[in-house]
């Protein structure tokens, strides 16, 4: 007989999700780089290319750390990953603040890039820990539970830049202090509340140690067989041999986790036809694939290429919208003060952050509607993101009035949010949920490649139009011409992303149709 969940366990699960959300709010600050990068570059007399190397290093830390951090989170402990995040965030941001205060020549570009890399590693570690706890504690409502930390991650840049804009406007040093202590202390404060609650005991829950191996080998916790079993008995978890779930259990787990990280829409009702199609599709992808085996999967390269084409587009604007604003204002109104331009840069970072937040929620609801009600592919949401990116790039190549630059910021943030709101669910659908953290870490190597290429190209284009001032600062007064060529490249990448998405939809439909024919033939 199933055991009812204790109120204390329900409270623990809720508190853990709140803690995970607070941690996620400290993890998206790499996307606030444009809020302080232009002022930082000016004071340290860095070129735009050098500034982009430092910003790209932060992106690399965020994405390249995905595999090792995923292994720590999956196989060791989410708390350990969060603790690594605490130290890495502080060790990344605070030396950058010291370098800014000391001025030009105080720290090499290589060392600044390493510090930026550490801030990215810290963000990745803490965020993976938050997501792991949220997914484990709400096994039947993962999409909804993870929507909170996902949305907080999207709002992170807005949260910190808003505080900085209100508390100390135009003060880059204070903003870097806020990023140093504000991010690391929030993660540290939330760390004790990260608990994993057992969902394997029927409807009963028990608080488990966050160390995965300890949880698996514990002989204190017991498993209650659900009412659906032929026999209801209790076993020590250390004495239960590994058993493969039956098809029904696999279907339930796959259907449940296919909405992982996709948003609150996972509670939408399904019509019979769409439900059947969704279940068949999920069942065909229920094998857990990870490690080197991914490299032999066609689906892996398909998703990886799409991710690379589109994330690089978003990262270029996220890292450089501050330079966009500076170039346009220098040309449009040379009398605009540095404080005014800095405030506009903060404004654009906030717009990107709010757009990302909205996109994550919309893609969560939208992808579940497509899959559960229409029996379609999640790649349609990715195609929407690619289309929004394309529109944003067209705007970026035409807008000369800096008062209209919000269209580029808003559309890029929205598209980036849609993309990252649905891609984790695509990865779970394709390769299974058990090794999601590691698989997602492999996937996020794609932004490392494309983000590097697009950001460095932007820097080269901007520098080619810049002049070195008497004080050693780099400056471009040509407005749109300063960076226009870079957006032509990302426009092409967005168009290729749309083509790749349509190709993925077609191949997925063909694979689903073939699997249905095979299943019908066996029946």
């Amino acid at each position: 007989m199933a055991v009812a969940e204790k109120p204390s366990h329900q409270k623990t699960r809720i508190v853990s999700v709140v803690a995970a959300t607070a941690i996620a709010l400290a993890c998206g600050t790499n996307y606030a780089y444009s809020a302080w990068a232009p002022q930082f570059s000016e004071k340290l007399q860095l070129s735009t290319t050098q500034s982009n190397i430092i910003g790209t290093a932060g992106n690399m830390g965020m994405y390249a750390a995905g595999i090792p951090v995923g292994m720590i989170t999956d196989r060791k402990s989410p708390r350990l990953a969060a603790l690594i995040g605490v130290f890495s965030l502080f060790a990344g941001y605070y030396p950058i603040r010291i370098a800014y205060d000391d001025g030009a020549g105080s720290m090499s570009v290589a060392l600044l890039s390493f510090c930026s890399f550490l801030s990215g590693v810290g963000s990745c570690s803490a965020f993976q820990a938050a997501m792991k706890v949220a997914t484990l504690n709400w096994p039947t409502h993962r999409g909804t539970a993870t929507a909170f930390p996902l949305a907080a991650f999207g709002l992170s840049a807005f949260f910190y830049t808003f505080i900085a804009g209100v508390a100390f406007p135009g003060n880059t040093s204070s903003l870097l202090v806020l990023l140093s202590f504000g991010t690391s202390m929030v993660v540290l404060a939330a760390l004790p509340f990260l608990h994993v609650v057992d969902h394997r005991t029927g409807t009963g829950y028990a608080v488990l140690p966050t160390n995965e191996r300890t949880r698996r080998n514990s002989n204190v916790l017991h498993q209650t067989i659900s009412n659906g079993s032929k026999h209801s008995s209790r076993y020590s978890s250390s004495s239960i041999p590994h058993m493969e779930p039956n098809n029904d259990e696999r279907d339930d787990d796959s259907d449940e986790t296919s909405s992982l990280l996709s948003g609150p829409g996972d509670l939408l009702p399904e019509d019979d036809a769409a439900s059947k199609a969704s279940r068949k599709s999920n069942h065909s992808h229920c094998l857990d694939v990870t490690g080197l085996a991914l490299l032999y999967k066609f689906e892996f390269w398909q998703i990886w290429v799409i991710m690379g084409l589109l994330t690089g587009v978003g990262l270029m604007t996220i890292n450089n919208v501050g330079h966009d604003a500076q170039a346009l204002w220098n040309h449009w109104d040379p009398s605009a003060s540095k404080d005014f331009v800095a405030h506009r840069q903060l404004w654009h970072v906030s717009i990107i952050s709010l757009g990302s937040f909205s996109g994550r929620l919309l893609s969560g609801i939208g992808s579940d509607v497509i899959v559960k009600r229409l029996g379609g592919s999640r790649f349609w949401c990715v195609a929407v993101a690619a289309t929004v990116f394309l529109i944003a790039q067209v705007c970026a190549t035409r807008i000369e009035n800096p008062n209209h630059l919000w269209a580029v910021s808003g559309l890029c943030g929205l598209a980036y949010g849609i993309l990252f709101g649905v891609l984790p669910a695509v990865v779970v659908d394709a390769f299974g949920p058990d090794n999601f953290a590691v698989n997602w870490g492999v996937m996020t190597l794609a932004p490392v490649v494309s983000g590097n290429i697009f950001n460095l190209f932007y820097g080269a284009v901007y520098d080619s139009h810049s002049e070195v001032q008497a004080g050693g600062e780099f400056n471009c007064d040509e407005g749109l011409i300063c960076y226009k060529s870079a957006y032509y490249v990302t426009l092409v990448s967005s168009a290729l992303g749309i083509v790749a998405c349509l190709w993925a939809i077609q191949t997925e439909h063909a694979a689903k149709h073939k699997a249905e024919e095979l299943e019908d033939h066996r029946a």
Side-chain angles (χ1 to χ4, degrees):
M1 182 177 178
V3 182
E5 181 181 7
K6 295 181 179 179
S8 60
H9 293 157
Q10 174 77 1
K11 181 180 178 181
T12 300
R13 297 163 73 207
I14 294 173
V15 169
S16 293
V17 168
V18 172
T21 303
I23 288 174
L25 191 61
C27 294
T29 52
N30 285 101
Y31 300 138
Y33 182 67
S34 281
W36 55 271
Q39 292 76 29
F40 186 82
S41 300
E42 182 178 349
K43 186 166 183 179
L44 271 69
Q45 299 179 3
L46 303 174
S47 68
T48 306
T49 299
Q50 290 173 322
S51 175
N52 270 293
I53 289 173
I54 296 169
T56 301
N59 296 334
M60 288 181 65
M62 181 71 187
Y63 297 121
I67 296 176
V69 168
M71 294 176 69
I72 292 172
T73 306
D74 281 342
R75 302 176 186 180
K76 294 291 185 179
S77 166
R79 279 188 179 176
L80 176 59
L83 188 61
I84 292 172
V86 171
F87 290 106
S88 297
L89 283 167
F90 184 79
Y93 279 123
Y94 197 71
I96 292 176
R97 185 257 182 172
I98 294 175
Y100 178 81
D101 288 345
D102 291 345
S106 60
M107 193 176 291
S108 67
V109 173
L111 188 53
L112 288 169
S113 298
F114 177 71
C115 292
S116 180
F117 178 84
L118 283 180
S119 71
V121 172
S123 296
C124 177
S125 300
F127 185 61
Q128 289 235 30
M131 295 303 297
K132 184 72 173 182
V133 170
T135 55
L136 287 178
N137 280 346
W138 298 89
T140 57
H141 304 294
R142 283 175 173 164
T144 302
T146 55
F148 293 103
L150 264 176
F153 182 88
L155 280 176
S156 180
F158 169 75
F159 177 75
Y160 285 95
T161 55
F162 178 79
I163 292 175
V166 173
F168 25 80
N171 191 330
T172 303
S173 178
S174 296
L175 171 59
L176 290 171
V177 170
L178 176 65
L179 293 175
S180 303
F181 288 96
T183 56
S184 57
M185 292 300 102
V186 165
V187 178
L188 183 62
L191 190 59
F193 302 99
L194 284 182
H195 294 287
V196 175
V197 180
D198 188 14
H199 67 273
R200 301 176 187 180
T201 58
T203 57
Y205 288 78
V207 179
L208 299 180
T210 52
N211 184 298
E212 288 288 300
R213 289 184 178 177
T214 304
R215 180 163 60 85
R216 288 171 183 164
N217 296 328
S218 173
N219 56 12
V220 176
L221 302 173
H222 294 80
Q223 180 178 22
T224 302
I225 307 302
S226 65
N227 289 335
S229 303
K230 291 182 179 180
H231 305 282
S232 295
S233 57
R234 191 168 289 193
Y235 301 91
S236 168
S237 61
S238 63
S239 65
I240 298 176
H242 174 72
M243 293 182 292
E244 289 295 325
N246 60 35
N247 288 342
D248 290 339
E249 287 170 336
R250 278 188 173 273
D251 279 345
D252 289 342
D253 183 65
S254 181
D255 188 52
E256 166 195 303
T257 54
S258 67
S259 294
L260 180 63
L261 313 188
S262 65
D266 67 332
L267 300 179
L268 291 171
E270 303 180 48
D271 60 51
D272 292 341
S275 176
K276 182 179 179 182
S278 175
R279 282 181 174 271
K280 285 185 177 182
S281 175
N282 286 332
H283 180 69
S284 67
H285 293 81
C286 66
L287 294 177
D288 286 307
V289 182
T290 192
L292 293 177
L294 290 171
L295 303 180
Y296 299 96
K297 289 290 183 179
F298 170 76
E299 295 89 347
F300 166 77
W301 293 107
Q302 195 174 55
I303 299 170
W304 200 86
V305 168
I306 291 173
M307 195 168 181
L309 287 171
L310 298 179
T311 53
V313 175
L315 287 173
M316 192 185 84
T317 296
I318 288 169
N319 283 0
N320 292 289
V321 70
H323 292 295
D324 291 356
Q326 188 175 50
L328 292 182
W329 278 111
N330 285 347
H331 182 73
W332 187 264
D333 183 10
S335 65
S337 67
K338 290 183 178 180
D339 285 346
F340 172 80
V341 175
H343 181 268
R344 303 297 285 192
Q345 290 164 340
L346 285 174
W347 189 57
H348 285 294
V349 169
S350 297
I351 291 174
I352 289 175
S353 185
L354 290 172
S356 177
F357 165 76
S358 301
R360 289 166 194 267
L361 293 183
L362 288 173
S363 66
I365 298 171
S367 68
D368 279 334
V369 168
I370 290 171
V371 171
K372 295 190 174 185
R373 289 187 176 176
L374 304 178
S377 169
R378 292 189 194 273
F379 280 107
W380 281 113
C381 275
V382 185
V384 170
T387 303
V388 177
F389 269 132
L390 182 68
I391 297 171
Q393 308 317 294
V394 172
C395 292
T397 59
R398 293 178 176 272
I399 291 176
E400 298 185 55
N401 185 340
N403 292 301
H404 299 155
L405 188 61
W406 60 266
V408 178
S409 309
L411 289 173
C412 277
L414 179 65
Y416 203 75
I418 293 172
L419 187 66
F420 273 91
V422 69
L423 276 179
V426 172
V427 173
V428 170
D429 286 348
F431 309 117
D434 285 355
N435 295 286
F436 167 73
V438 173
N439 292 348
W440 183 244
V442 176
M443 284 295 172
T444 53
L445 291 176
V448 174
V449 177
S450 60
N452 265 318
I453 293 173
F454 292 146
N455 278 309
L456 293 178
F457 181 70
Y458 180 100
V461 170
Y462 200 98
D463 286 342
S464 68
H465 295 280
S466 299
E467 295 180 355
V468 181
Q469 306 298 304
E473 304 90 356
F474 288 78
N475 190 52
C476 181
D477 296 325
E478 299 178 15
L480 179 60
I481 302 300
C482 294
Y483 57 83
K484 185 177 182 179
S485 299
Y487 280 96
Y488 283 130
V489 174
T490 50
L491 190 152
V492 172
S493 185
S494 300
L496 291 175
I498 294 174
V499 173
C501 288
L502 296 177
W503 172 49
I505 291 168
Q506 193 277 328
T507 54
E508 185 178 281
H509 177 75
K512 183 192 295 185
H513 182 68
K514 184 176 180 180
E516 288 175 353
E517 286 185 342
L518 182 61
E519 188 171 331
D520 291 340
H521 178 71
R522 288 176 177 174

